[in-house]
């Protein structure tokens, strides 16, 4: 990679070896150990013509897929009389709907036991849905054969024919006492060695024990201290401690079957950290919880745990997902945790990315073109990604609960099929590009800037760094916003409860009116939703307005360190401190909290993939004393750093990019983040002129140069790269990029990482 990606003050292992270590940890139980062997070497120590080492990495690849029609009906009485109509489907249906699978276990011989949930989403509308466990046989479409259909071979019906339950059920007065979706919300499953089934559910939340034929064997096992609003044991006036539909969505079993590990889908309602998810241990021999628990931290407060599976070495796979579907999806991931590993400094399990279900290679073109997410890259963008298990051959099976008839992630207006996919964690060798691609505020050309959706999109588009601008809330929490004034990037102006917070302030010598982060607590800011800053320019991004929260810096750092670039390296973070002099003046300094966040996330080290940047100079000098990560001085084409202006220092940005100014920057920083005009000025007609000597002089001073900001719309391009007079139409961004790359810059900030990556890769071939 470039010089700016190397450590500042002490040597460290080569980037490729760092990536190898991470990749090995991620897939140690999922692929043979030889898959993460050492970097390939040749007579030049494995380096290519650009001096870059190849990286051995893991690429999830689609091996097979099978589906069951969303409209498939199994034998039985009519179902869905109270289901909410959607996607052109209205109940009741003349049979039992199969609304996807919330949990599965291998049945052997190519079959699986596949369990739907409680039916139609709530206790109130699922009384006619019978709780079942289906034995299925997929005829896998491998791209080289197979029908791609899921066949239903048989099923068992869960029942209480022995009268174990001590509360009334829907079929209370029948002989079979078949259980329904109004009695339990079954979500997870484990099969014991004796053939019985342990089922986790959400209304209690309870653990249920059924024999091999589906008959309830024991009274439900409640989790001490956990009651949901639907619990039959909730006393009058008692407040539930678990939110509705946040019980045992996930559960795995130990290899010997002695222990179950049910996982609460959501946080306890009174937990001050709403990103905490609790894993519990249950002893199947004694029928009691052991009292041992583990804490898992989700990427976002609203993420839920969709499934769990214990691998052969005892580590655990967990599905973490958001509640979005289709192109709105952000987090549909499988993480690995080790319950025997010591927790981090905050008491949470270390989690490692195994699979991003939104980024799976599909080289054989399985079902390409049949809906959203079915292309060269396969994704499972459904709301309820709820099944993961490791097959005996080490590959992963993933699947969905389709929320029939509501889910339509694949084809708008058409209910999603039940779908299963087999994913191989293939090994490959990648060579990192010599040019660093920084996603400017995320992939802000496609999603509202400074949202986890924008950052995840940038990662999917192969950016190497995500860039959060950092400001402070009233209670001192650092969050990602382009400016502390948020009237244009959130829906705060539409919230009557914040109408009285509108004010006018002087920020860096300029009067600004609106709503400011420093006047809102984090809890208040959490109630807002992000929106596109330039809706007339980017209506495609504005289509996502109102969906996403403002992320904290901690959440951005977590997303990055739990992700990997397309080259297999850790995703870097490039935070910019906004208006540091202003925030110092109101008692909310950014520097110390920023370094504290880095330390808390294990990123305050010389080899961390972190670069801190600022338009001011004084706070960079302060950060140079506080942290070991790399620093970059931002320079604009006009004006001066505000800290110098405030101090009466008459130096401008133009003075900073003289040879003497660059040598001074090199005393406290490692790189220069230069506005495009500083590198290639524009002529009077708006075309590119002759490059300056700034890149050459910066390199001589030992600084890397990253140029900003490259955007695809005509209005942001030099005139010679515009496609028309329409300022919002896309122009020739690749052409402009090539002109700047020719100056020798080391990296680019861009709103369109996909175009930048494609341009750089094409030029490298």
């Amino acid at each position: 990679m470039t010089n700016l990606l190397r450590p500042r003050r002490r040597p460290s292992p080569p980037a490729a070896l760092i990536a190898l270590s991470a990749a090995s940890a991620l897939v140690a139980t999922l692929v043979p150990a030889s898959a993460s062997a050492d970097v390939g070497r040749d007579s030049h120590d494995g380096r290519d013509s650009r001096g870059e080492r190849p990286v051995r990495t893991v690429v999830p690849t689609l091996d097979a897929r099978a589906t069951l029609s969303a409209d498939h009906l199994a034998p039985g009485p009519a179902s869905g009389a109270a289901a909410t109509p959607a996607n052109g489907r209205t109940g009741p249906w003349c049979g039992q709907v199969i609304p996807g699978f919330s949990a599965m276990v291998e049945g052997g011989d190519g079959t699986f036991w596949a369990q739907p949930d409680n039916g139609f989403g709530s206790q109130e509308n699922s009384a006619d849905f019978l709780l079942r466990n289906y034995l299925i046989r997929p005829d896998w479409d491998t791209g080289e054969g197979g029908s791609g259909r899921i066949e239903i071979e048989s099923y068992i019906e869960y029942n209480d024919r022995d009268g174990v339950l001590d509360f009334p059920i829907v079929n209370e007065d029948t002989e079979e006492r078949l259980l329904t979706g109004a009695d339990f919300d079954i979500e997870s499953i484990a099969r014991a060695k004796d053939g019985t089934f342990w089922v986790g559910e959400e209304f209690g939340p309870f653990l249920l024990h059924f024999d091999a034929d589906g008959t309830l064997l024991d009274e439900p096992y409640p989790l001490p201290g956990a009651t949901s609003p639907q619990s039959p044991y909730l006393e009058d006036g008692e407040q539930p401690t678990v939110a509705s539909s946040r019980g045992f969505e996930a559960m795995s079993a130990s290899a010997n079957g002695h222990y179950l590990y049910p996982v609460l889908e959501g946080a306890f309602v009174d937990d001050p950290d709403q990103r905490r998810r609790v894993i519990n241990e249950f002893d199947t021999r004694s029928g009691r919880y052991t009292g041992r628990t583990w804490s898992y931290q989700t990427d976002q407060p609203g993420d839920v745990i969709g499934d769990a599976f214990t691998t052969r070495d005892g580590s655990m796979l967990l599905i973490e997902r958001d509640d979005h579907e289709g192109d709105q999806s952000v987090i549909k991931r499988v993480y690995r945790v080790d319950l025997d590993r010591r927790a981090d400094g905050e008491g949470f399990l270390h989690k490692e990315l195994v699979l991003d279900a939104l980024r799976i290679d599909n080289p054989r073109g399985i079902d390409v073109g049949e809906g959203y997410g079915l292309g060269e890259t396969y994704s499972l963008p459904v709301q309820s990604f709820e099944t993961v298990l490791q097959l005996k051959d080490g590959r992963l099976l993933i699947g969905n609960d389709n929320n029939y008839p509501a889910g339509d992630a694949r084809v708008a207006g058409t209910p999603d099929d039940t779908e299963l996919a087999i994913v191989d964690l293939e090994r490959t060798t990648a060579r990192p590009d010599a040019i660093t691609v920084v996603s400017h505020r995320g992939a802000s050309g496609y999603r509202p800037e400074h949202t986890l959706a924008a950052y995840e999109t940038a990662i999917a588009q192969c950016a190497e760094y995500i860039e959060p601008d950092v400001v402070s809330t009233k209670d001192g929490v650092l969050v990602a916003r382009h400016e502390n004034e948020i009237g244009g990037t959130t829906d705060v102006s539409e919230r009557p409860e914040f109408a009285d917070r509108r004010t006018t302030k002087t920020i860096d010598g300029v009067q600004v009116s609106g709503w400011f982060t420093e006047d809102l607590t984090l809890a208040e800011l959490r109630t807002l939703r992000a929106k596109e800053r330039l809706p007339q320019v980017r209506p495609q991004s504005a289509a996502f307005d109102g969906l996403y929260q403002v992320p904290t810096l901690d959440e951005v750092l977590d997303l990055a360190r739990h992700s990997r670039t397309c080259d297999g390296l850790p995703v870097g973070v490039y935070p910019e401190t906004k208006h540091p002099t202003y925030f110092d003046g109101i008692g909310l300094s950014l520097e110390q909290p920023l370094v504290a966040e880095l330390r808390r996330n294990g990123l305050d080290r010389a080899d961390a993939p972190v670069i801190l940047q600022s338009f001011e100079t004084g706070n960079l000098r302060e950060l140079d004393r506080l942290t070991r990560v790399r620093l970059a001085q931002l320079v604009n084409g006009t004006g001066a750093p505000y800290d110098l202006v405030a101090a009466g220092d008459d130096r401008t940005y133009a003075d900073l990019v003289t040879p003497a100014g660059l040598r001074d920057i090199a005393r406290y920083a490692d790189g220069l983040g230069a506005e495009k005009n500083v590198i290639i000025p524009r002529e009077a007609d708006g075309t590119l002129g002759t490059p300056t000597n700034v890149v050459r002089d910066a390199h001589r001073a030992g600084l890397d140069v990253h140029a900003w900001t490259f955007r695809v719309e005509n209005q942001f391009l030099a005139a010679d790269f515009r496609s028309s007079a329409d300022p919002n139409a896309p122009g020739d961004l690749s052409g402009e990029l090539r002109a700047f790359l020719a100056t020798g810059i080391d990296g680019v900030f861009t709103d369109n990482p996909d175009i930048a990556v494609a341009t750089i890769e094409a030029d490298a071939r």
Side-chain angles (χ1 to χ4, degrees):
M1 307 295 283
T2 64
N3 289 333
L4 198 52
L5 303 183
R6 293 202 290 267
R8 302 180 56 213
R9 296 178 174 83
R10 65 184 184 197
S12 67
L17 297 183
I18 296 169
L20 276 176
S21 175
S24 299
L26 290 178
V27 299
T29 66
L30 305 178
V31 296
S34 59
S36 53
D38 200 3
V39 176
R41 298 179 182 275
D42 58 23
S43 59
H44 299 287
D45 195 30
R47 297 180 186 271
D48 63 14
S49 60
R50 296 167 296 162
E52 304 302 328
R53 286 185 183 273
V55 177
R56 191 74 167 158
T57 188
V58 175
V59 177
T61 303
L62 182 66
D63 265 7
R65 181 173 181 260
T67 61
L68 177 71
S69 170
D71 297 316
H72 178 90
L73 293 175
S79 60
T84 302
N87 293 313
R89 309 305 197 265
T90 302
W93 296 279
C94 56
Q96 286 290 300
V97 169
I98 299 180
F101 300 129
S102 288
M104 291 175 59
V105 294
E106 281 198 78
D109 226 14
T111 63
F112 300 86
W113 285 103
Q115 177 182 277
D117 59 13
N118 81 312
F120 303 107
S122 73
Q123 189 174 43
E124 292 72 27
N125 67 7
S126 299
D128 58 6
F129 182 84
L130 298 178
L131 301 186
R132 291 175 171 177
N133 193 357
Y134 290 90
L135 186 66
I136 67 170
R137 184 182 298 274
D139 181 24
W140 298 104
D141 178 358
T142 64
E144 299 171 352
S147 68
R149 292 193 296 269
I150 298 172
E151 301 296 334
I152 307 294
E153 294 200 344
S154 63
Y155 59 85
I156 60 174
E157 294 185 307
Y158 292 133
N159 65 85
D160 182 36
R161 63 170 58 99
D162 292 340
V164 171
L165 297 174
D166 61 357
F167 54 83
I169 60 174
V170 170
N171 293 319
E172 176 75 16
D173 299 323
T174 66
E175 182 178 353
E176 290 298 305
R177 290 174 59 85
L178 297 179
L179 297 173
T180 74
D183 303 317
F184 295 108
D185 184 3
I186 57 175
E187 296 285 1
S188 49
I189 190 171
R191 195 179 191 191
K193 293 184 182 299
D194 62 4
T196 61
F197 293 98
W198 287 93
V199 172
E201 76 88 53
E202 298 203 299
F203 287 165
F206 298 127
L207 293 181
L208 307 174
H209 192 198
F210 296 97
D211 71 13
D213 294 323
T215 299
L216 189 64
L217 295 171
D218 310 314
E219 292 183 2
Y221 295 94
L223 174 65
T227 52
S228 85
Q230 290 81 25
S231 173
Y233 302 134
L234 192 69
E235 301 287 347
D236 289 342
E238 181 183 359
Q239 294 300 308
T241 59
V242 176
S244 178
S245 191
R246 290 296 181 260
F248 294 145
E249 181 76 47
M251 179 178 66
S252 69
S254 61
N256 59 15
H258 292 171
Y259 298 99
L260 300 176
Y261 297 98
V263 187
L264 287 174
E265 182 178 12
F268 281 101
V269 294
D270 61 351
D271 193 329
D273 187 348
Q274 287 295 295
R275 295 170 65 193
R276 187 194 318 275
R277 306 293 179 263
V278 179
I279 302 172
N280 304 273
E281 184 178 68
F282 179 85
D283 189 329
T284 60
R285 296 161 299 177
S286 66
R288 292 187 176 89
Y289 284 92
T290 68
R292 294 183 72 196
T293 62
W294 296 263
S295 292
Y296 172 96
Q297 188 177 49
T298 57
D299 294 331
Q300 305 174 99
D303 288 356
V304 298
I305 305 302
D307 199 10
F309 184 87
T310 302
T311 63
R312 288 189 293 269
D313 76 337
S315 63
M316 184 183 294
L317 303 180
L318 292 170
I319 288 177
E320 181 178 336
R321 65 168 179 84
D322 57 25
D323 264 337
H324 300 301
E325 67 176 5
D327 59 359
Q328 299 175 0
S329 298
V330 180
I331 301 295
K332 311 290 182 186
R333 295 184 166 198
V334 177
Y335 287 111
R336 174 185 179 272
V337 298
D338 186 346
L339 302 187
D340 292 329
R341 183 179 177 184
R342 179 177 296 179
D344 66 18
E346 297 178 280
F348 293 106
L349 291 167
H350 295 269
K351 68 182 192 181
E352 300 162 345
L353 180 66
V354 171
L355 173 69
D356 184 343
L358 300 178
R359 287 197 290 163
I360 300 171
D361 275 11
N362 186 14
R364 281 174 277 175
I366 298 172
D367 295 334
V368 165
E370 294 186 8
Y372 179 82
L374 296 172
E376 292 182 3
T377 297
Y378 169 85
S379 69
L380 190 63
V382 296
Q383 177 189 16
S384 297
F385 170 26
E386 292 187 359
T387 295
V388 64
L389 56 91
Q390 182 185 0
L391 303 178
K392 291 177 181 177
D393 61 11
R395 296 179 298 170
L396 298 185
L397 183 150
I398 60 176
N400 72 315
D401 169 359
N402 64 23
N403 296 317
Y404 187 84
D408 61 348
R410 295 290 191 200
V411 180
T414 301
D416 288 328
D417 291 336
T418 301
E419 120 177 46
L420 303 175
I422 294 178
V423 181
D424 188 15
L425 300 177
E426 290 194 355
R427 284 75 61 193
T428 189
T429 298
R431 291 183 180 271
D433 293 314
I435 303 298
T436 300
V437 175
V438 182
S439 60
H440 184 240
R441 311 173 194 168
S444 49
Y446 308 100
R447 298 291 186 276
E449 65 188 34
H450 293 312
T451 60
L452 290 193
Y455 300 133
E456 164 64 17
T457 300
I459 294 168
Q461 292 183 354
C462 298
E464 291 152 313
Y465 277 79
I466 55 178
E467 187 221 18
D469 294 337
V470 177
V471 295
S472 180
T473 64
K474 183 177 183 179
D475 44 352
V477 180
L478 299 185
V479 296
R481 285 291 87 189
H482 174 49
E483 295 288 347
N484 53 325
E485 198 290 303
I486 55 173
T489 60
T490 72
D491 59 359
V492 65
S493 65
E494 303 163 25
R495 301 296 187 97
E497 65 270 30
F498 297 121
D500 62 348
R501 307 288 180 92
R502 193 177 193 279
T503 187
T504 298
K505 301 186 179 190
T506 300
I507 311 294
D508 294 357
V510 178
Q511 279 202 335
V512 180
S513 296
W515 291 261
F516 297 84
T517 59
E518 64 268 25
D519 295 333
L520 299 172
T521 65
L522 177 62
E524 291 173 323
L525 193 65
R526 287 291 201 196
T527 67
L528 305 178
R529 292 298 179 267
K531 68 178 185 180
E532 169 57 43
R533 186 172 55 89
L534 303 170
Q536 301 305 314
V537 179
R538 294 171 173 168
Q540 74 278 6
S541 177
F544 297 90
D545 284 0
L547 294 175
Y548 308 119
Q549 288 184 315
V550 174
T552 64
L553 176 62
D554 181 48
E555 290 165 3
V556 179
L557 296 176
D558 281 347
L559 179 69
R561 65 192 181 93
H562 296 141
S563 301
R564 289 294 179 268
T565 69
C566 296
D567 294 328
L569 297 171
V571 172
V573 188
Y574 212 134
E576 179 189 342
T577 55
K578 301 292 291 191
H579 311 299
T581 294
Y582 168 79
F583 276 105
D584 280 349
I586 61 172
L588 290 171
S589 295
L590 304 175
E591 293 77 23
Q592 290 85 357
L594 175 54
V595 174
E597 287 287 6
L598 294 178
R599 288 176 181 161
R600 196 154 63 92
N601 284 276
L603 293 171
D604 183 24
R605 58 180 204 275
D607 62 347
V610 176
I611 304 168
L612 304 182
Q613 56 176 333
S614 177
F615 278 102
E616 297 189 13
T617 64
N619 74 314
L620 284 178
R621 294 179 189 273
E622 180 182 357
L623 286 167
D624 187 43
R625 297 187 295 270
L626 292 175
T627 180
R628 297 185 293 169
V629 303
R630 288 147 295 167
L631 309 177
Q633 177 68 62
L634 295 174
V635 294
N636 209 332
T638 60
Y642 186 72
D643 63 314
L644 299 184
V645 173
D649 189 323
D650 61 3
R651 283 178 295 166
T652 66
Y653 287 120
D655 295 315
L656 266 58
V657 296
T658 62
L662 292 167
R663 288 193 296 271
D664 183 54
I665 289 173
R667 293 188 176 96
Y668 60 85
D670 308 271
L672 184 75
E675 195 267 335
K676 291 189 296 184
N677 285 341
V678 172
I679 296 169
I680 307 180
R682 295 189 185 185
E683 302 289 359
D685 62 358
T687 61
L688 289 183
T690 302
T692 67
N693 293 326
V694 168
V695 175
R696 182 201 66 187
D697 294 340
H699 285 166
R700 287 177 175 175
L703 299 169
D704 277 3
V705 181
H706 291 177
W708 55 272
T709 299
F710 292 91
R711 299 177 166 111
V712 73
E713 293 86 7
N714 282 325
Q715 63 182 288
F716 302 117
L717 294 167
D720 31 349
F721 298 102
R722 296 171 189 163
S723 61
S724 68
D726 181 352
N728 299 327
D732 182 13
L733 175 56
S734 291
E736 185 180 79
L737 278 164
R738 289 190 178 97
F740 279 86
L741 293 173
T743 67
I745 59 174
D746 306 287
V748 297
F749 288 80
T750 178
D751 292 5
N752 309 91
D754 55 340
I755 298 175
V757 168
T759 302
I760 292 165
E761 289 183 347
D763 286 358
R765 287 196 287 267

